[in-house]
Amino acid sequence: MKKTSIYITLIALLAGASSCDKGFDDLNTNPTAATALNPVFTFNNAIVNTSFPGSMLIFEEPIVQQMFSPNSGIISGGNFNIDNRGSSGANAQLWQRYFRDNIRYLVDIIAKTKTDANRSNLYNMARIWKALASMTLTDSYGDIPYSEAGLGYLSGNVSPKYDTQESIYTDILKELSEATAALDASKPTEAGEIMFGGDITKWKRLGYSVMLRAGMRLSKVNPTLAQSTVQKAVAGGVMQSNADNSAVRNNANYQNPVGTTLNSTEAANFYLTKTFVDYLKSTSDPRLASIAVRYVGAKSGPEQTAAKANRDPSVQIGMPLGYDNGTIPARATTDGLASFYDYSQLDRTRMGAFTAPCFLVTYAQTQLLLAEAAQRGWTTGNAADFYNAGVTAHMKQLGDYDATSLVSDANIAAYLQKNPYDPARGLELINTQYWVASFLNGPEAFANFRRSGYPTLTPNPYPGKEIKGNFINRLSYPDSEISVNQTKVNEAISRQGPDNLDTRVWWDKQ
């Protein structure tokens, strides 16, 4: 009897416990929490993180002699022709930003949408964007992880192999061809993506414009493939106006990394070079008024005030290369300036603002590449017409930074009349204009300078350089990558050449 009472009590307790557990999962599940992330949101994150990091001011811009700093320390790099590969070094920032915050997201999007017929446009947009991002990385470093990049989460591969740049370009061209052709406006168009709001026509023009860029990159290493790629891009349909420009439209929430750098602790550190300013002044280029500001008479960073700001092109004085913070004060005195803070800078209230757009692929660049293709006989059309259209487009593009930066039609016409296209100097003129049109797109300006050899720049005379040649040819692999993937990095180095600033990438043939 006593045992029976105990069993009844235990059964009652178990029944009670069971009834308490009923609905426990429902009670502890947030009914408003997302169970899956819409891949278009991940795509937007990848797009935003394509904005170039502030390190562009330390390497790419100084290499092509548009902007630099005379100061040393953490911002040493292209200004002194020395390496800067530490964990916080300038050459690490582009690597980390693109692999961690771009390629990784794009690989995930591609995997999630590949077999989803309703997301085929997003799938192909992501393929185009991955091709563009991968080009930026391989053009900067050479051999990089590509076929196995971004698979750490999906397959647990945390030490991806490095692919040769030649094989990377082969696949980039395939991806651009397939993805761009597959875009279809009759299918869901992904209005939530922030680049073109799902406009399939603009995405197609971007895909073929990137293909044109990739084709022209091969002009030295494989002219036959370069020509056929250019012709395929032109037949597909490249950008038709500035309305097709691909740019990250930054705002208060997603600020331009370069603008953030220039408007914070580094505000008084970076200056326009004498090379760049003198070139614009020598051709009476109206863009100088849109780009430059000089704080006349400033003797320190705090004295660079709005009251001293002068944007008149005639008073702009670029900082000469070859000086550091110990020697530039004497040169400033020789130049009749109050201090080195008195040299011209990028106007950080317009082109260098927190919210300034970051242009990635533009109609201006596309027209100038077509001008070179026409000059080489690789496409139909008149090189001079493409050239004039490219120069005009960039001058108009400046209005996207600020209404006061827009170059007027009258000033554009006067400039083109004074600086007409000369077929005898075609490649030089076209690629020098490409240099100007790619200002603040440091990776692209750096790549095209190596490919074309223009503009003709005098090597930086700074005596402490670490390079053997006249110019930096690539960025070295950052220590942060070597520390986690050393075996694969060493395989790339054994194949490509020494991991230094002198080694040339595959397409950069002498």
Side-chain angles (χ1 to χ4, degrees):
M1 187 72 173
K2 186 174 180 181
K3 288 184 179 179
T4 302
S5 298
I6 292 172
Y7 291 148
I8 293 171
T9 303
L10 286 172
I11 292 169
L13 288 171
L14 290 172
S18 175
S19 109
C20 288
D21 285 343
K22 187 178 293 185
F24 181 82
D25 290 341
D26 293 337
L27 184 64
N28 287 276
T29 300
N30 184 349
T32 63
T35 57
L37 181 63
N38 187 334
V40 77
F41 298 148
T42 308
F43 187 45
N44 287 340
N45 201 7
I47 290 173
V48 167
N49 282 294
T50 314
S51 287
F52 307 119
S55 62
M56 181 183 75
L57 300 169
I58 299 173
F59 268 108
E60 292 94 335
E61 286 291 332
I63 294 170
V64 299
Q65 299 184 7
Q66 291 178 326
M67 290 178 66
F68 84 115
S69 173
N71 297 319
S72 55
I74 195 171
I75 56 176
S76 297
N79 46 338
F80 300 141
N81 283 320
I82 63 174
D83 210 340
N84 188 347
R85 66 168 72 208
S87 59
S88 60
N91 71 339
Q93 292 182 32
L94 180 67
W95 183 279
Q96 291 171 351
R97 186 175 183 86
Y98 269 58
F99 272 118
R100 182 186 61 202
D101 301 331
N102 195 301
I103 298 296
R104 178 168 64 94
Y105 293 137
L106 293 167
V107 169
D108 184 64
I109 297 160
I110 290 169
K112 283 182 168 61
T113 58
K114 185 174 183 178
T115 59
D116 187 345
N118 290 322
R119 308 308 289 269
S120 63
N121 279 321
L122 180 58
Y123 168 64
N124 289 302
M125 292 171 188
R127 293 170 74 189
I128 292 170
W129 205 258
K130 181 174 178 283
L132 174 61
S134 298
M135 271 185 65
T136 303
L137 281 167
T138 189
D139 291 345
S140 298
Y141 298 94
D143 292 2
I144 59 169
Y146 179 77
S147 60
E148 296 180 358
L151 296 176
Y153 176 76
L154 293 175
S155 65
N157 184 351
V158 295
S159 55
K161 71 174 184 179
Y162 279 56
D163 297 276
T164 66
Q165 187 176 59
E166 182 176 9
S167 68
I168 292 168
Y169 259 85
T170 297
D171 196 67
I172 283 174
L173 293 178
K174 177 189 76 69
E175 286 292 284
L176 289 171
S177 177
E178 292 179 0
T180 308
L183 290 168
D184 187 348
S186 69
K187 298 178 180 178
T189 56
E190 304 294 345
E193 59 85 6
I194 61 173
M195 180 50 58
F196 296 126
D199 188 323
I200 298 302
T201 298
K202 289 185 177 181
W203 270 103
K204 279 184 172 288
R205 290 173 180 170
L206 171 62
Y208 286 120
S209 296
V210 176
M211 184 187 293
L212 172 65
R213 177 184 287 186
M216 292 303 295
R217 200 78 92 225
L218 308 180
S219 60
K220 287 194 297 187
V221 71
N222 192 337
T224 301
L225 179 58
Q227 180 177 356
S228 64
T229 301
V230 167
Q231 291 171 343
K232 187 172 186 177
V234 171
V238 296
M239 292 178 172
Q240 300 298 302
S241 72
N242 277 339
D244 296 330
N245 284 343
S246 173
V248 178
R249 303 289 175 177
N250 297 290
N251 55 37
N253 295 319
Y254 299 100
Q255 296 182 344
N256 188 317
V258 172
T260 301
T261 299
L262 293 176
N263 283 280
S264 55
T265 56
E266 308 302 326
N269 278 337
F270 289 94
Y271 295 82
L272 296 173
T273 67
K274 177 177 171 61
T275 303
F276 192 50
V277 171
D278 284 0
Y279 172 75
L280 296 176
K281 292 181 78 169
S282 70
T283 57
S284 301
D285 196 317
R287 286 172 286 194
L288 185 58
S290 304
I291 294 170
V293 63
R294 184 176 153 221
Y295 296 97
V296 179
K299 297 179 181 178
S300 66
E303 287 192 21
Q304 292 181 338
T305 61
K308 293 181 181 292
N310 192 325
R311 296 171 176 82
D312 184 342
S314 67
V315 306
Q316 303 305 321
I317 301 174
M319 183 180 284
L321 296 163
Y323 298 88
D324 57 27
N325 52 1
T327 58
I328 193 61
R331 176 57 193 260
T333 299
T334 300
D335 287 340
L337 304 181
S339 72
F340 77 79
Y341 299 99
D342 199 355
Y343 283 109
S344 296
Q345 294 181 290
L346 174 67
D347 188 348
R348 52 185 180 266
T349 68
R350 296 185 293 169
M351 290 186 75
F354 283 116
T355 57
C358 175
F359 288 94
L360 303 167
V361 183
T362 68
Y363 172 62
Q365 292 170 325
T366 300
Q367 288 294 292
L368 290 167
L369 290 177
L370 289 174
E372 180 176 344
Q375 176 79 3
R376 291 177 179 274
W378 291 355
T379 190
T380 58
N382 186 283
D385 291 340
F386 289 128
Y387 174 86
N388 291 337
V391 174
T392 299
H394 186 247
M395 292 186 178
K396 291 290 190 182
Q397 177 187 317
L398 296 180
D400 277 1
Y401 292 103
D402 188 272
T404 63
S405 299
L406 179 67
V407 180
S408 69
D409 291 341
N411 284 339
I412 294 173
Y415 176 82
L416 291 174
Q417 183 176 15
K418 185 175 181 179
N419 301 277
Y421 180 73
D422 178 3
R425 299 173 55 219
L427 294 181
E428 176 191 359
L429 292 174
I430 291 165
N431 286 289
T432 300
Q433 284 297 331
Y434 198 90
W435 174 61
V436 179
S438 298
F439 179 57
L440 295 185
N441 184 337
E444 182 59 21
F446 177 37
N448 198 67
F449 169 62
R450 287 173 288 161
R451 178 193 71 83
S452 70
Y454 295 109
T456 303
L457 300 175
T458 301
N460 186 335
Y462 188 75
K465 72 177 185 177
E466 295 178 355
I467 59 174
K468 296 177 182 178
N470 290 327
F471 296 95
I472 291 172
N473 291 323
R474 66 178 279 272
L475 302 185
S476 60
Y477 298 123
D479 286 347
S480 57
E481 170 65 9
I482 294 172
S483 66
V484 298
N485 198 13
Q486 186 170 9
T487 300
K488 303 298 175 60
V489 173
N490 287 339
E491 289 175 1
I493 293 171
S494 66
R495 183 174 60 229
Q496 178 173 260
D499 184 25
N500 58 36
L501 306 179
D502 286 297
T503 296
R504 293 175 179 269
V505 301
W506 165 72
W507 50 254
D508 183 18
K509 301 299 180 184
Q510 291 179 298

